[in-house]
Amino acid sequence: MAGAALLGAAGCDLAERVPGLPGTTPPNREGTNVVLVIIDSLRKDHIGVYGGERAVRTPNLDSLAKDSLIFTRAHPESMPTINARRAIHTGTRTWPFTDWDPPMGEDIILQGWQPIPREQTTLAEVMRANGYGTFFVTDNMHQFKSAYNMHRGFDAFDFIRGQTTDNYMPNWTYPPEKVDQALMKGNVPAMTGQMKQYFSNVAARQTEEDWFAPQVFSRASEMLEAVSGTGSPFFLTVDSYDPHEPWDPPEEYLKMYDDEPYDLKEPFSVIYGPSDYLTDRELERMRARYSAEITMTDRWLGRLMDKMEELNLFENTLLLLLSDHGIGLGEHGYTGKPAYILWPEMTDVPFFIRHPDGKGAGQTSDYIASTHDVASTVLGYLGIDAPEQMTGQDLSVMPDDDPDDDRSHFTSGYHDHVWTTDDRYVMFCRHDGTDAKLYDVEADPEMYEDLAAQQPDVVKRMFDGYVLRDAGGPLPVYDPLPEPTV
């Protein structure tokens, strides 16, 4: 196929390394393929099928949703990027970060941000042990480092280079006018370097096919073409970094959301923190750029779905689609993804499961689905026993049956903050219970009225009864570390 796909390392014997790994018992649904789509930083409220005033043009996501079971209360097990993917690939909770050991030389210092532990088995390894061809396409630069083990278990994987700060091209080849245009008031020096690297990486783009989401979904379509005729079932993971910033879509997409004259700085990227560095017009432009990036990504997801239809794969393929987290665009006075803005724009993500037999198509579930449920769901559907470490729920039994865990509440974590919810409230705070915010999401679903001062008993009940109980005791405390710049 176009672009040499790198072969996964054979490594040592898997059964010897991980005792209790399921054997090669034939799946109950023999010949069923699996496609897993991960879309970074995709907010639930921007997808048409979820409704709401912030929904943008997502015809392909909406079409997929009509054929899928739709989870209306999906939240990441932990955040951000690497934490969420550790949970997706291993089916194992990353929070409460008790095993955190910051990798040497890493520029992102966040609790839980580290490679997949060697003793944990990945979903791809289990699938390969059960006779599946395993394939991976992504442009998510944080997964490129081989030490992170995100590629473990895949027979072939393709990493598309050039996103954001990837040292892909010499960073002195950038167009100066683009970098100057991108530097908003208050940008830290690190942002200058990021923009120089990014615009150097993309300087050779000519057509829309050269943008990142088009490359990812086009390469995934090529993989489908190559593997669908082999006669063996396959597991394909497609992981798109878009619509993560920088928001730099082709101009025609931006005009869908902002066709008014604009002569200010271009918010290609974002400062993590208070949004007061932006004028109202700049914030409007930033939101338009994010929306445009989603619509472009949706279009090329549609190309992948077209390829699946062309190859008659929908009839024998389980398809899951979800995101790792969202991003703040000034709704509560903050932009980006700092750990302390755990409002719906950060924590509410899409999650679809499309069964090949159409079960649950177009139905919704308010069960709290999460990133670490992916592995258990895939293996459960195929009738493959999951390793004991995979503690997520098998969501494939829905809507006919309920998962084993009723999830009357759920707890998540991001660096030194925790977030927890039940049927009525959402509470988030620092890891020691301070700086708590409490919201009645029945009355205030977008979480603007903080009730923590009026209802300290509810805050205490949720912290002691949910957070500490789920964590198995007090959360780990690490020496203060510098706030990440990206």
Side-chain angles (χ1 to χ4, degrees):
M1 57 179 297
L6 302 176
L7 294 178
C12 62
D13 181 72
L14 188 60
E16 180 179 327
R17 179 171 62 79
V18 186
L21 179 74
T24 54
T25 304
N28 292 339
R29 293 177 169 89
E30 187 173 359
T32 301
N33 308 303
V34 178
V35 172
L36 168 63
V37 179
I38 307 167
I39 301 181
D40 202 293
S41 302
L42 179 59
R43 287 172 46 158
K44 185 183 80 173
D45 63 358
H46 277 55
I47 300 175
V49 72
Y50 285 107
E53 61 183 22
R54 297 190 182 97
V56 302
R57 301 176 197 182
T58 55
N60 294 296
L61 283 162
D62 298 341
S63 177
L64 176 61
K66 290 177 182 177
D67 292 335
S68 304
L69 177 62
I70 307 162
F71 290 91
T72 60
R73 298 178 69 198
H75 307 291
E77 175 276 333
S78 64
M79 296 163 273
T81 303
I82 287 296
N83 302 49
R85 280 159 183 78
R86 283 179 59 193
I88 290 170
H89 288 301
T90 67
T92 305
R93 295 218 61 171
T94 300
W95 183 83
F97 312 138
T98 53
D99 62 346
W100 181 49
D101 183 16
M104 293 292 293
E106 181 57 78
D107 59 348
I108 298 179
I109 308 298
L110 291 167
Q111 294 181 29
W113 185 289
Q114 65 188 52
I116 294 175
R118 179 171 170 75
E119 66 274 9
Q120 291 183 4
T121 311
T122 67
L123 173 59
E125 288 176 312
V126 178
M127 296 292 280
R128 186 163 67 179
N130 282 274
Y132 277 75
T134 53
F135 308 96
F136 185 24
V137 179
T138 186
D139 65 332
N140 190 318
M141 57 165 289
H142 299 302
Q143 301 182 78
F144 292 171
K145 297 176 183 177
S146 58
Y148 272 67
N149 289 329
M150 298 294 167
H151 62 292
R152 208 171 71 200
F154 288 101
D155 294 320
F157 52 90
D158 215 334
F159 287 161
I160 294 169
R161 298 289 304 274
Q163 275 281 18
T164 318
T165 56
D166 178 18
N167 296 321
Y168 175 57
M169 297 293 289
N171 68 0
W172 58 82
T173 61
Y174 64 90
E177 69 281 0
K178 294 287 281 188
V179 173
D180 180 68
Q181 185 185 32
L183 294 177
M184 310 297 294
K185 177 183 176 183
N187 276 131
V188 295
M191 188 64 73
T192 303
Q194 289 182 30
M195 290 294 97
K196 286 181 178 180
Q197 184 64 66
Y198 173 74
F199 285 116
S200 295
N201 291 345
V202 301
R205 286 188 310 204
Q206 295 182 354
T207 67
E208 185 176 334
E209 287 77 4
D210 298 325
W211 264 252
F212 290 108
Q215 288 189 66
V216 169
F217 289 110
S218 295
R219 195 70 56 84
S221 297
E222 292 171 354
M223 275 199 173
L224 285 179
E225 187 90 54
V227 305
S228 62
T230 63
S232 299
F234 63 83
F235 169 49
L236 171 64
T237 295
V238 187
D239 191 341
S240 172
Y241 200 50
D242 288 338
H244 191 288
E245 69 274 9
W247 302 301
D248 180 28
E251 190 68 21
E252 56 265 32
Y253 290 98
L254 180 56
K255 287 180 178 179
M256 292 181 184
Y257 300 100
D258 186 3
D259 60 358
E260 297 297 321
Y262 186 82
D263 60 0
L264 304 173
K265 295 285 189 177
E266 283 286 1
F268 291 103
S269 197
V270 62
I271 297 175
Y272 284 23
S275 58
D276 55 7
Y277 66 98
L278 296 165
T279 67
D280 290 346
R281 183 67 179 100
E282 289 169 337
L283 182 58
E284 179 184 36
R285 186 74 166 184
M286 177 180 285
R287 291 171 175 170
R289 286 193 160 277
Y290 176 71
S291 298
E293 197 91 13
I294 290 174
T295 296
M296 179 189 67
T297 302
D298 177 84
R299 179 188 181 190
W300 289 88
L301 168 67
R303 297 290 183 90
L304 177 67
M305 293 166 59
D306 288 345
K307 178 59 68 174
M308 291 184 65
E309 186 169 10
E310 175 189 326
L311 298 172
N312 297 316
L313 290 174
F314 281 119
E315 298 177 3
N316 66 339
T317 300
L318 177 71
L319 191 154
L320 294 85
L321 181 144
L322 76 164
S323 183
D324 52 357
H325 50 69
I327 186 166
L329 297 172
E331 292 81 8
H332 287 84
Y334 294 88
T335 56
K337 298 187 289 286
Y340 48 83
I341 68 158
L342 301 181
W343 290 291
E345 54 266 29
M346 269 292 297
T347 62
D348 291 12
V349 297
F351 197 139
F352 305 155
I353 300 177
R354 187 196 183 280
H355 291 253
D357 60 5
K359 186 176 78 167
Q363 297 183 43
T364 60
S365 171
D366 62 1
Y367 183 82
I368 302 176
S370 192
T371 41
H372 71 304
D373 294 326
V374 168
S376 295
T377 298
V378 169
L379 297 178
Y381 182 83
L382 297 174
I384 300 173
D385 293 332
E388 290 184 3
Q389 84 182 39
M390 294 185 177
T391 55
Q393 294 298 299
D394 176 7
L395 305 180
S396 73
V397 302
M398 304 179 73
D400 298 338
D401 298 305
D402 294 327
D404 294 337
D405 184 352
D406 65 5
R407 288 211 180 141
S408 57
H409 76 275
F410 190 73
T411 303
S412 180
Y414 184 175
H415 192 46
D416 58 358
H417 278 67
V418 290
W419 174 98
T420 190
T421 186
D422 57 21
D423 289 339
R424 181 169 179 182
Y425 294 101
V426 165
M427 188 276 292
F428 61 90
C429 61
R430 291 182 58 83
H431 56 75
D432 58 2
T434 60
D435 297 336
K437 292 178 172 57
L438 176 71
Y439 302 91
D440 181 343
V441 290
E442 285 186 354
D444 178 26
E446 294 196 351
M447 296 170 52
Y448 282 105
E449 186 178 355
D450 180 9
L451 304 175
Q454 296 98 300
Q455 301 187 40
D457 54 327
V458 177
V459 172
K460 179 175 174 55
R461 173 177 63 82
M462 296 184 78
F463 185 75
D464 293 348
Y466 298 166
V467 174
L468 296 185
R469 189 181 77 182
D470 292 349
L475 297 174
V477 177
Y478 297 99
D479 291 335
L481 293 164
E483 192 72 18
T485 58
V486 295

